[in-house]
Coordinates of all heavy atoms in Angstrom, one line a residue:
M813 N 91.8 73.1 98.1 CA 91.8 74.4 97.7 C 93.0 74.8 96.8 O 94.2 74.5 97.1 CB 91.7 75.3 98.9 CG 91.3 76.7 98.6 SD 90.8 77.7 100.1 CE 89.0 77.9 99.8
K814 N 92.8 75.5 95.8 CA 93.9 75.9 94.9 C 94.2 77.4 95.0 O 93.4 78.1 95.6 CB 93.5 75.6 93.3 CG 93.2 74.1 93.1 CD 93.5 73.8 91.7 CE 93.5 72.2 91.5 NZ 92.1 71.7 91.7
C815 N 95.3 77.7 94.4 CA 95.7 79.1 94.5 C 94.8 80.1 94.0 O 94.5 81.1 94.6 CB 97.1 79.3 93.7 SG 98.4 78.4 94.4
K816 N 94.0 79.7 92.8 CA 93.0 80.7 92.4 C 91.9 80.8 93.3 O 91.2 81.9 93.4 CB 92.7 80.3 91.0 CG 91.9 79.1 90.8 CD 91.5 78.9 89.3 CE 90.9 77.6 89.0 NZ 89.7 77.2 89.7
D817 N 91.6 79.7 94.1 CA 90.5 79.9 95.1 C 90.9 80.8 96.2 O 90.1 81.5 96.7 CB 90.2 78.5 95.7 CG 89.7 77.5 94.5 OD1 89.0 77.9 93.8 OD2 90.2 76.3 94.6
I818 N 92.2 80.8 96.5 CA 92.7 81.7 97.6 C 92.5 83.2 97.1 O 91.9 83.9 97.9 CB 94.2 81.5 97.8 CG1 94.4 80.0 98.3 CG2 94.7 82.4 98.9 CD1 93.9 79.6 99.6
L819 N 92.9 83.4 95.9 CA 92.8 84.7 95.4 C 91.3 85.3 95.3 O 91.0 86.4 95.6 CB 93.4 84.8 94.0 CG 95.0 84.5 94.0 CD1 95.5 84.6 92.5 CD2 95.7 85.5 94.9
K820 N 90.4 84.3 95.0 CA 89.0 84.6 94.9 C 88.4 85.0 96.3 O 87.6 85.9 96.4 CB 88.3 83.3 94.3 CG 86.9 83.7 93.8 CD 86.4 82.6 92.8 CE 86.4 81.1 93.5 NZ 85.4 80.8 94.2
E821 N 88.9 84.4 97.3 CA 88.4 84.6 98.7 C 89.3 85.6 99.4 O 89.0 85.9 100.6 CB 88.4 83.3 99.4 CG 87.7 82.1 98.8 CD 86.1 82.5 98.7 OE1 85.7 83.4 99.3 OE2 85.4 81.7 97.9
L822 N 90.3 86.1 98.8 CA 91.3 86.9 99.5 C 90.7 88.2 100.1 O 91.1 88.4 101.4 CB 92.4 87.4 98.5 CG 93.5 88.1 99.0 CD1 94.3 87.4 100.2 CD2 94.5 88.6 97.9
A823 N 89.9 88.9 99.5 CA 89.3 90.2 100.1 C 88.5 89.7 101.3 O 88.6 90.5 102.3 CB 88.5 90.8 99.0
D824 N 87.7 88.7 101.2 CA 86.8 88.4 102.4 C 87.7 87.8 103.5 O 87.4 88.1 104.7 CB 85.8 87.3 102.0 CG 84.6 87.9 101.2 OD1 84.5 89.1 101.3 OD2 83.9 87.1 100.5
Y825 N 88.8 87.1 103.1 CA 89.7 86.5 104.2 C 90.3 87.7 104.9 O 90.3 87.7 106.1 CB 90.7 85.7 103.5 CG 91.8 85.2 104.4 CD1 91.5 84.2 105.4 CD2 93.1 85.8 104.3 CE1 92.5 83.8 106.2 CE2 94.1 85.3 105.2 CZ 93.7 84.3 106.2 OH 94.7 83.9 107.0
L826 N 90.8 88.7 104.2 CA 91.5 89.8 104.9 C 90.4 90.7 105.6 O 90.8 91.3 106.6 CB 92.2 90.7 103.8 CG 93.5 90.0 103.3 CD1 94.0 90.9 102.1 CD2 94.5 89.7 104.3
D827 N 89.2 90.6 105.2 CA 88.1 91.3 105.9 C 87.7 90.5 107.1 O 86.7 91.1 107.9 CB 86.9 91.5 104.9 CG 86.7 92.9 104.6 OD1 87.4 93.8 105.0 OD2 85.7 93.2 103.9
E828 N 88.2 89.4 107.3 CA 87.7 88.4 108.3 C 86.2 88.2 108.2 O 85.5 88.1 109.2 CB 88.1 89.0 109.7 CG 89.5 89.4 109.7 CD 90.2 89.3 111.1 OE1 89.4 89.5 112.0 OE2 91.4 89.3 111.2
A829 N 85.7 88.2 107.0 CA 84.3 87.9 106.7 C 83.9 86.5 106.3 O 82.9 86.3 105.9 CB 83.8 88.9 105.7
L830 N 85.0 85.7 106.3 CA 84.7 84.3 105.9 C 84.2 83.4 107.0 O 84.5 83.7 108.1 CB 86.0 83.7 105.3 CG 86.6 84.2 104.0 CD1 87.9 83.4 103.8 CD2 85.6 84.0 102.9
D831 N 83.4 82.4 106.6 CA 83.0 81.4 107.6 C 84.3 80.6 108.1 O 85.2 80.5 107.3 CB 81.8 80.6 107.1 CG 82.2 79.7 106.0 OD1 83.0 78.7 106.2 OD2 81.7 80.0 104.9
P832 N 84.3 80.1 109.3 CA 85.4 79.4 109.8 C 85.9 78.3 109.0 O 87.2 78.1 108.9 CB 84.9 79.0 111.1 CG 83.8 79.9 111.5 CD 83.1 80.2 110.2
D833 N 85.1 77.5 108.3 CA 85.6 76.4 107.6 C 86.5 76.9 106.4 O 87.5 76.3 106.2 CB 84.4 75.6 107.1 CG 83.8 74.7 108.1 OD1 84.4 74.7 109.2 OD2 82.7 74.2 107.9
L834 N 85.9 77.9 105.7 CA 86.7 78.4 104.5 C 88.0 79.0 105.0 O 89.0 78.9 104.4 CB 85.7 79.5 103.8 CG 86.0 79.8 102.4 CD1 86.2 78.5 101.6 CD2 84.8 80.5 101.8
R835 N 87.8 79.7 106.0 CA 89.0 80.3 106.7 C 90.1 79.3 107.0 O 91.3 79.5 106.7 CB 88.6 81.1 107.9 CG 89.7 82.0 108.5 CD 89.2 82.8 109.7 NE 90.2 83.7 110.1 CZ 90.5 84.8 109.4 NH1 89.8 85.2 108.5 NH2 91.5 85.5 109.8
A836 N 89.7 78.2 107.6 CA 90.6 77.1 107.9 C 91.3 76.6 106.7 O 92.4 76.3 106.6 CB 89.9 76.1 108.8
S837 N 90.5 76.4 105.7 CA 91.0 75.8 104.4 C 92.1 76.8 103.8 O 93.2 76.3 103.3 CB 89.9 75.7 103.4 OG 88.9 74.9 103.9
I838 N 91.8 78.1 103.8 CA 92.7 79.0 103.4 C 94.0 79.0 104.2 O 95.1 79.0 103.6 CB 92.1 80.4 103.3 CG1 91.1 80.5 102.2 CG2 93.2 81.5 103.1 CD1 90.4 81.9 102.1
E839 N 93.9 79.0 105.5 CA 95.1 79.0 106.3 C 95.8 77.7 106.1 O 97.1 77.8 106.2 CB 94.7 79.2 107.8 CG 94.6 80.7 108.0 CD 93.9 81.1 109.3 OE1 93.5 80.2 110.1 OE2 93.6 82.3 109.5
H840 N 95.2 76.6 105.9 CA 95.8 75.4 105.6 C 96.7 75.5 104.3 O 97.8 75.1 104.3 CB 94.8 74.2 105.4 CG 95.5 72.9 105.1 ND1 96.2 72.2 106.0 CD2 95.5 72.2 104.0 CE1 96.6 71.0 105.5 NE2 96.2 71.1 104.2
H841 N 96.1 76.1 103.2 CA 96.7 76.3 102.0 C 98.0 77.2 102.2 O 99.0 76.9 101.7 CB 95.8 76.8 101.0 CG 96.4 77.1 99.7 ND1 96.3 76.2 98.6 CD2 97.2 78.2 99.2 CE1 97.0 76.7 97.5 NE2 97.5 77.8 97.9
L842 N 97.8 78.3 103.0 CA 98.8 79.3 103.2 C 100.0 78.7 103.9 O 101.1 79.0 103.7 CB 98.3 80.5 104.0 CG 97.3 81.4 103.3 CD1 96.9 82.5 104.2 CD2 97.9 81.9 102.0
G843 N 99.6 77.7 104.8 CA 100.7 77.0 105.4 C 101.7 76.1 104.6 O 102.8 75.9 104.9
K844 N 101.3 75.8 103.4 CA 102.1 75.1 102.5 C 102.4 75.7 101.2 O 103.1 75.2 100.3 CB 101.6 73.6 102.3 CG 100.2 73.6 101.7 CD 99.7 72.2 101.8 CE 98.2 72.1 101.4 NZ 97.9 72.1 100.0
C845 N 101.8 76.9 100.9 CA 102.0 77.6 99.7 C 102.7 78.9 99.9 O 101.9 79.9 100.3 CB 100.7 77.7 98.9 SG 100.9 78.5 97.3
V846 N 103.9 79.1 99.6 CA 104.5 80.3 99.8 C 104.1 81.5 99.0 O 103.9 82.6 99.4 CB 106.2 80.2 99.6 CG1 106.9 81.5 99.8 CG2 106.7 79.1 100.5
D847 N 103.7 81.1 97.7 CA 103.3 82.2 96.7 C 102.0 82.8 97.3 O 102.0 84.1 97.3 CB 102.9 81.5 95.5 CG 104.1 81.1 94.7 OD1 105.3 81.6 95.1 OD2 104.1 80.3 93.7
C848 N 101.1 82.1 97.8 CA 99.9 82.7 98.3 C 100.1 83.4 99.6 O 99.5 84.5 99.8 CB 98.9 81.6 98.5 SG 98.1 81.0 97.0
R849 N 101.1 83.0 100.4 CA 101.4 83.6 101.6 C 102.0 85.0 101.3 O 101.6 86.0 101.9 CB 102.4 82.9 102.4 CG 102.2 83.0 103.9 CD 102.7 81.8 104.6 NE 104.1 81.5 104.4 CZ 104.7 80.2 104.3 NH1 103.8 79.2 104.3 NH2 105.9 80.0 104.1
V850 N 102.8 85.1 100.4 CA 103.4 86.4 99.9 C 102.2 87.3 99.4 O 102.2 88.5 99.8 CB 104.4 86.2 98.8 CG1 104.8 87.6 98.3 CG2 105.6 85.6 99.4
V851 N 101.3 86.7 98.7 CA 100.3 87.6 98.1 C 99.4 88.2 99.2 O 99.1 89.3 99.4 CB 99.3 86.8 97.2 CG1 98.1 87.6 96.8 CG2 100.2 86.5 95.9
V852 N 99.1 87.2 100.2 CA 98.2 87.7 101.4 C 98.9 88.7 102.2 O 98.3 89.7 102.5 CB 97.8 86.4 102.1 CG1 97.2 86.8 103.5 CG2 96.9 85.5 101.5
D853 N 100.2 88.4 102.5 CA 100.9 89.4 103.3 C 101.1 90.7 102.7 O 100.8 91.8 103.3 CB 102.3 88.9 103.6 CG 102.4 87.7 104.7 OD1 101.3 87.6 105.4 OD2 103.4 87.0 104.9
T854 N 101.4 90.7 101.4 CA 101.6 92.0 100.7 C 100.2 92.8 100.6 O 100.2 94.0 100.9 CB 102.1 91.7 99.3 OG1 103.2 90.9 99.4 CG2 102.4 93.0 98.5
T855 N 99.1 92.0 100.3 CA 97.9 92.7 100.2 C 97.5 93.3 101.5 O 97.0 94.3 101.7 CB 96.8 91.7 99.7 OG1 97.3 91.1 98.5 CG2 95.5 92.4 99.4
R856 N 97.7 92.5 102.6 CA 97.3 92.9 104.0 C 98.1 94.3 104.3 O 97.5 95.2 104.8 CB 97.6 91.9 105.0 CG 97.2 92.2 106.3 CD 97.5 91.2 107.4 NE 96.7 90.0 107.4 CZ 97.0 88.8 107.4 NH1 98.3 88.5 107.3 NH2 96.1 87.8 107.4
Q857 N 99.4 94.2 104.1 CA 100.2 95.5 104.3 C 99.8 96.6 103.6 O 99.7 97.7 104.0 CB 101.7 95.2 104.1 CG 102.3 94.4 105.2 CD 103.7 93.8 104.7 OE1 104.2 94.2 103.7 NE2 104.1 92.8 105.4
T858 N 99.4 96.4 102.3 CA 98.9 97.5 101.4 C 97.6 98.0 102.0 O 97.5 99.3 102.0 CB 98.7 96.9 100.0 OG1 99.9 96.3 99.6 CG2 98.2 98.1 99.0
I859 N 96.7 97.1 102.5 CA 95.4 97.7 103.0 C 95.8 98.5 104.3 O 95.2 99.5 104.5 CB 94.6 96.4 103.3 CG1 94.1 95.8 102.0 CG2 93.4 96.8 104.2 CD1 93.3 94.5 102.2
Q860 N 96.7 98.0 105.1 CA 97.0 98.7 106.3 C 97.6 100.1 106.0 O 97.2 101.1 106.7 CB 97.9 97.9 107.2 CG 97.2 96.8 108.0 CD 98.1 95.8 108.7 OE1 99.4 95.9 108.4 NE2 97.6 94.9 109.4
I861 N 98.5 100.1 105.0 CA 99.0 101.5 104.7 C 97.9 102.4 104.2 O 97.8 103.6 104.6 CB 100.0 101.3 103.5 CG1 101.3 100.6 104.1 CG2 100.4 102.6 102.9 CD1 102.3 100.1 103.1
F862 N 97.0 101.8 103.4 CA 95.9 102.8 103.0 C 95.0 103.1 104.2 O 94.7 104.3 104.2 CB 95.1 102.0 101.9 CG 95.6 102.2 100.5 CD1 96.1 101.1 99.8 CD2 95.6 103.4 99.9 CE1 96.6 101.3 98.6 CE2 96.0 103.6 98.6 CZ 96.6 102.5 97.9
C863 N 94.7 102.2 105.1 CA 93.8 102.6 106.1 C 94.4 103.6 107.1 O 93.7 104.4 107.7 CB 93.4 101.3 106.8 SG 92.3 100.2 106.0
N864 N 95.7 103.6 107.3 CA 96.4 104.3 108.3 C 96.8 105.7 107.8 O 97.1 106.6 108.5 CB 97.6 103.7 108.8 CG 97.3 102.4 109.6 OD1 96.1 102.3 110.1 ND2 98.2 101.5 109.8
S865 N 96.8 105.8 106.4 CA 97.3 107.1 105.9 C 96.1 108.1 105.9 O 95.0 107.8 105.4 CB 97.9 106.9 104.5 OG 96.9 106.5 103.5
E866 N 96.4 109.3 106.3 CA 95.4 110.4 106.3 C 96.1 111.4 105.3 O 97.3 111.5 105.2 CB 95.2 111.0 107.7 CG 94.5 110.0 108.5 CD 94.5 110.6 109.9 OE1 94.8 111.7 110.2 OE2 94.1 109.6 110.8
P867 N 95.3 112.2 104.7 CA 95.8 113.3 103.9 C 96.7 114.2 104.8 O 96.1 114.6 105.9 CB 94.6 114.1 103.4 CG 93.4 113.1 103.6 CD 93.8 112.2 104.7
A868 N 97.9 114.4 104.4 CA 98.8 115.2 105.3 C 98.5 116.6 105.2 O 98.2 117.1 104.0 CB 100.3 115.0 104.8
P869 N 98.2 117.3 106.3 CA 98.0 118.8 106.2 C 99.2 119.5 105.7 O 100.3 119.1 105.9 CB 97.7 119.2 107.7 CG 98.3 118.1 108.5 CD 98.4 116.8 107.7
L870 N 98.9 120.6 105.0 CA 100.0 121.4 104.5 C 100.8 122.1 105.6 O 100.1 122.7 106.5 CB 99.5 122.5 103.5 CG 99.0 122.0 102.1 CD1 98.4 123.1 101.3 CD2 100.2 121.4 101.3
P871 N 102.0 122.0 105.6 CA 102.7 122.8 106.7 C 102.5 124.3 106.4 O 102.2 124.7 105.3 CB 104.2 122.5 106.4 CG 104.3 121.6 105.2 CD 103.0 121.3 104.7
P872 N 102.5 125.1 107.5 CA 102.1 126.5 107.4 C 103.0 127.2 106.3 O 102.4 128.1 105.5 CB 102.4 127.1 108.7 CG 102.3 125.9 109.6 CD 102.8 124.7 108.9
S873 N 104.3 127.0 106.2 CA 105.2 127.7 105.3 C 104.7 127.4 103.9 O 104.7 128.2 103.0 CB 106.6 127.2 105.4 OG 106.8 125.8 105.3
T874 N 104.3 126.1 103.6 CA 103.9 125.7 102.3 C 102.5 126.4 101.9 O 102.3 126.9 100.9 CB 103.7 124.1 102.2 OG1 104.9 123.6 102.5 CG2 103.2 123.7 100.7
R875 N 101.7 126.5 103.0 CA 100.4 127.1 102.8 C 100.6 128.6 102.5 O 99.9 129.1 101.6 CB 99.6 126.9 104.1 CG 98.1 127.2 103.9 CD 97.5 127.3 105.3 NE 97.7 126.2 106.1 CZ 96.8 125.2 106.2 NH1 95.6 125.3 105.7 NH2 97.1 124.1 107.0
Q876 N 101.5 129.2 103.2 CA 101.8 130.6 102.9 C 102.3 130.8 101.5 O 101.9 131.8 100.8 CB 102.8 131.1 104.0 CG 103.0 132.7 103.9 CD 101.7 133.4 104.1 OE1 101.0 133.1 105.1 NE2 101.4 134.4 103.3
R877 N 103.3 130.0 101.2 CA 103.8 130.2 99.8 C 102.7 129.9 98.7 O 102.7 130.6 97.8 CB 104.9 129.1 99.6 CG 106.3 129.5 100.0 CD 107.4 128.9 99.3 NE 107.3 127.4 99.2 CZ 107.7 126.6 100.1 NH1 108.2 127.1 101.2 NH2 107.6 125.3 100.0
L878 N 101.8 129.0 98.9 CA 100.8 128.7 98.1 C 99.9 129.9 97.9 O 99.5 130.4 96.9 CB 100.0 127.4 98.5 CG 98.9 127.1 97.7 CD1 99.3 126.7 96.3 CD2 98.1 125.9 98.3
H879 N 99.6 130.4 99.2 CA 98.7 131.7 99.2 C 99.4 132.8 98.5 O 98.7 133.5 97.7 CB 98.5 132.0 100.7 CG 97.5 133.2 100.9 ND1 98.1 134.5 101.1 CD2 96.2 133.3 100.8 CE1 97.1 135.3 101.2 NE2 95.9 134.6 100.9
D880 N 100.7 133.1 98.7 CA 101.4 134.1 98.1 C 101.4 133.9 96.5 O 101.1 134.9 95.8 CB 102.9 134.2 98.5 CG 103.0 134.7 99.9 OD1 101.9 135.1 100.5 OD2 104.0 134.5 100.5
A881 N 101.6 132.7 96.1 CA 101.6 132.4 94.7 C 100.2 132.7 94.1 O 100.2 133.4 92.9 CB 102.1 131.0 94.4
L882 N 99.2 132.3 94.8 CA 97.8 132.5 94.3 C 97.5 134.0 94.2 O 96.9 134.5 93.3 CB 96.8 131.8 95.1 CG 96.7 130.2 95.0 CD1 95.8 129.6 96.1 CD2 96.3 129.9 93.6
T883 N 97.9 134.7 95.3 CA 97.7 136.1 95.4 C 98.4 136.8 94.2 O 97.7 137.7 93.5 CB 98.2 136.7 96.7 OG1 97.7 136.0 97.8 CG2 97.9 138.2 96.8
R884 N 99.6 136.4 93.9 CA 100.3 137.1 92.8 C 99.7 136.8 91.5 O 99.5 137.5 90.7 CB 101.9 136.7 92.8 CG 102.7 137.4 93.7 CD 104.2 137.2 93.3 NE 104.5 135.8 93.3 CZ 105.0 135.0 94.3 NH1 104.9 135.7 95.5 NH2 105.2 133.8 94.2
K885 N 99.3 135.5 91.4 CA 98.7 135.1 90.1 C 97.4 135.8 89.9 O 97.1 136.2 88.8 CB 98.5 133.5 90.2 CG 98.4 132.9 88.8 CD 98.6 131.4 88.9 CE 98.5 130.7 87.6 NZ 99.7 131.2 86.7
L886 N 96.6 135.9 90.9 CA 95.3 136.5 90.7 C 95.4 138.0 90.7 O 94.5 138.6 90.1 CB 94.3 136.0 91.9 CG 94.0 134.5 91.9 CD1 93.2 134.2 93.1 CD2 93.3 134.1 90.6
G887 N 96.4 138.5 91.4 CA 96.7 139.9 91.3 C 95.7 140.9 92.1 O 96.0 142.0 92.2
R888 N 94.6 140.3 92.5 CA 93.6 141.2 93.1 C 93.2 140.7 94.4 O 92.2 141.3 95.0 CB 92.4 141.3 92.1 CG 91.7 140.1 91.8 CD 90.8 140.3 90.7 NE 90.3 139.0 90.2 CZ 89.4 138.3 90.7 NH1 88.7 138.7 91.8 NH2 89.1 137.1 90.3
V889 N 93.8 139.7 94.9 CA 93.4 139.1 96.2 C 94.3 139.7 97.3 O 95.5 139.5 97.2 CB 93.5 137.6 96.2 CG1 93.0 137.0 97.6 CG2 92.6 137.0 95.1
H890 N 93.8 140.4 98.3 CA 94.7 140.9 99.3 C 94.0 140.5 100.6 O 92.9 140.6 100.8 CB 94.8 142.5 99.2 CG 95.4 142.8 97.9 ND1 96.8 142.7 97.7 CD2 94.9 143.4 96.9 CE1 97.0 143.2 96.4 NE2 95.9 143.6 96.0
S891 N 94.9 140.1 101.5 CA 94.4 139.7 102.8 C 95.3 140.3 103.9 O 96.4 140.6 103.6 CB 94.3 138.2 103.0 OG 95.6 137.6 102.8
Ligands
ZN1317 ZN1 98.7 78.8 96.7

């Protein structure tokens, strides 16, 4: 298995959607190829960051400032 094969299977590997033989080949390659290991680790971390991040709710003060600014801008919204 070559580096480009690893990259080709990377998404499925991280998804744990590969069949065991292919997975074993990739892990064997990762055991001796630092470059691919870095790519796999980095990609995995990136995926975890994306999966764990939720849109942050606006803090009330920011929400109020935004509301005030919109109210002033529109000039006719009162609440
Ligand atoms: Zn490699």
